[in-house]
Amino acid sequence: ASQPSTLMLGDWYELVFTARGPVLSCGIAGQTPVTANSQNLSSGSVGFRTYDSTFEADWLVVHDILP
């Protein structure tokens, strides 16, 4: 899934990623999140990737979400 977004270079943005069962969602700076479904991701690890840019993170926090 993808969604165009206009972000300013050098600014910090809150990125929220949620995985609940097969539903995955990701949103930036309060924008409407992009959602996708996948039955292939029952466990794993956290990772980020960029395309044609750099990425810097601060305060990466991972929480369990209880049902």
Side-chain angles (χ1 to χ4, degrees):
S2 65
Q3 177 177 328
S5 182
T6 302
L7 303 174
M8 298 300 296
L9 183 63
D11 286 350
W12 288 88
Y13 296 93
E14 180 181 16
L15 173 68
V16 178
F17 179 84
T18 305
R20 286 192 178 161
V23 181
L24 311 171
S25 65
C26 184
I28 300 173
Q31 296 179 4
T32 302
V34 173
T35 60
N37 288 302
S38 177
Q39 297 293 333
N40 298 325
L41 304 172
S42 61
S43 65
S45 59
V46 175
F48 295 97
R49 174 175 82 169
T50 65
Y51 174 76
D52 196 27
S53 64
T54 60
F55 175 80
E56 183 177 336
D58 195 8
W59 299 324
L60 177 62
V61 180
V62 179
H63 298 278
D64 284 337
I65 298 177
L66 301 175

